[in-house]
Amino acid sequence: MNETVAPPGAELRARAEIDLAAVRANVRALRERAPGAALMAVVKADGYGHGAAACARAAVEAGATWLGTATPQEALALRAPGTGVPDHVRVMCWLWTPGGPWREAIEAGVDVSLGGMWALEEVTRAARLAGRPARAHLKADTGLGRGGCQPGEDWAELVAGALRAEAEGLLRITGLWSHLACADEPGHPSIVAQLSLFREMVAYAEGRGVDPEVRHIANSPATLTLPESHFDLVRPGIAVYGVSPSPETGVPADFGLRPAMTLSASLALVKRVPGGHGVSYAHHYVTPGATTLGLVPLGYADGIPRHASSSGPVLVEGKWRTVAGRIAMDQFVVDLGGDDPGAGARAVLFGPGDRGEPTAADWAQAAGTIAYEIVTRIGSRVPRVYRNEGNEGNEGNEGNEGSGR
Ligand SMILES: *Cc1c(COP(=O)(O)O)cnc(C)c1O
C-alpha cells in the first residue's frame, strides 16, 4: 500500500495529492444518499490508486462501518497492526481462488465471499483448523455473468451447504449479496431484472433459515441513483474518491462529490523550437510554427495512458495544453504556444476541476476509457501526498482549504 516515504525530491518531479477531507465529505454525501443503509467503502486496488489505508481511515472517520477489497491479501493488509483501522470496522473481500488464504482471513476476522461449492468446502476445512467459524457472504449471480452462484439448483445447493456448515459451527452466514452489471447506465432494463432476482434469491435463502446481518448489491452508481437497491449496506468505490462512475450518471458536483486526487508534475524543460520540428517518438506531432515545448516528466510507466497521445489535457499557467505526440514511458511533451513558464512550472494533469484543471474524466475521454482506470493506474513511482489528514472536527469549512495547492 502506498504509505511508504517517498525518496528525497520524488514529489518535486510529480505527485498525486490526495485530499482526505474530500474523501470524508464524499462518504458523508453517500451516507446521505443511503440513510437507511450502512456504508462499505471499497478500497481495493490500493484505494483506486489513492492509498488504501489512508482512505480507509478517512472513510471510517466519516461513518463507513465496512471496508471492501477484492483480494484477501488487500483485506489482511487492512487488518494488520498499525493501519489505524479500528477493530469494530468489518472488512470484506470477494476475489477468492482455490488455496485461500482462508485460515488467515478467518483468524483476522475478515468476512469472506462464497460463490460456489469449492469455496464452501475450502472455507469450512479452514474453519475447522482455525477452531472458529468463518464470517461468510453468499454471492448470487443475479445477471452480471461474472462471479457468484447461479440461481436455481446451484443456489439451493450453496444455501443448503452453508446452512449445514452454520449448524456445525463452522460458518456464520453474515451476508447475502450480488453485483450489478449496468447501474452506471440509468434506466437500463437489466437493473430492475437484477434487483428482482436478487430479492427472490434472498427470499429463498431466508425461507430456508438464513438470517444474514446484511443484504447488499449497490455499487457507486446504484448508491447515487437507485434507492431501491440500497438494502442494508451500500458498497461505493469510485464515488468515495469523488469521481463519477460514468458520464451518463452525471458529474461529481451533481451528487455533492469532489475528486480527491490531483496529479501534477514539474516541467523538466521549456525550450524554443522552430516550426516543422517533429516531437516525440514517431513524430506524430510536428510544430505548426515556431513555438515553445514543455517536457512533462510523467509517462505510461506512471499510469499516464499512451492512448491519450496527442489528446490528453494539461493545465500549465492557467491554460489548457494538449499532449503533443506520443506519450513515452517516462515523459511527454506539451506545446506551450510560445509561452515560457520556465522549467519547474507546475503542469496539472487532473484534479477536482474547480480550479480550471482537467479532471480524470477528461483523461478518460481522451484515452477512450473510464475514469476508474485513470486514477487506479497511477503508478507506484508517483508519491501520494496526503492533505487534510485527521478528522479536524470542523469539517464544514474544510472542503476548499489546502486541497492540493
Ligand atoms: C469494485 C466493486 C464495487 C465498487 O464499485 P464502484 O463502481 O467503484 O462503486 C462494489 N462491489 C464490488 C463487488 C466490486 O467489485
Side-chain angles (χ1 to χ4, degrees), residues 115-181:
M117 290 305 284
W118 75 262
L120 178 64
E121 281 153 24
E122 290 205 359
V123 81
T124 48
R125 207 176 308 136
R128 208 167 261 129
L129 291 172
R132 58 184 273 196
R135 294 176 48 86
H137 300 234
L138 307 186
K139 179 161 195 196
D141 186 349
T142 55
L144 174 59
R146 205 173 68 177
C149 183
Q150 288 298 114
E153 275 172 38
D154 289 358
W155 185 242
E157 186 189 19
L158 182 63
V159 166
L163 281 167
R164 269 196 310 277
E166 196 166 57
E168 285 178 66
L170 298 173
L171 203 70
R172 165 83 187 99
I173 307 171
T174 48
L176 295 172
W177 77 298
S178 189
H179 196 37
L180 292 163

Side-chain angles (χ1 to χ4, degrees), residues 40 42 44 48 69-70 94 139 146 177-179 217-221 223 235-241 245 372:
M40 173 190 291
V42 178
K44 62 190 179 186
Y48 291 48
T69 69
W94 43 79
K139 179 161 195 196
R146 205 173 68 177
W177 77 298
S178 189
H179 196 37
I217 191 170
N219 55 4
S220 292
T223 303
R235 300 191 311 267
I238 195 73
V240 165
Y241 310 98
Y372 292 70

Side-chain angles (χ1 to χ4, degrees), residues 239-319:
V240 165
Y241 310 98
V243 174
S244 172
S246 65
E248 294 79 11
T249 308
V251 296
D254 293 343
F255 304 101
L257 302 174
R258 180 178 161 82
M261 184 189 291
T262 298
L263 179 68
S264 66
S266 174
L267 291 184
L269 179 70
V270 178
K271 63 180 179 183
R272 299 198 172 276
V273 294
H277 202 304
V279 176
S280 192
Y281 293 132
H283 282 178
H284 284 201
Y285 185 77
V286 177
T287 54
T291 189
T292 47
L293 299 177
L295 181 62
V296 180
L298 281 170
Y300 59 77
D302 301 297
I304 311 306
R306 189 166 173 277
H307 277 92
S309 294
S310 300
S311 61
V314 179
L315 183 77
V316 184
E317 292 210 314
K319 291 185 192 148

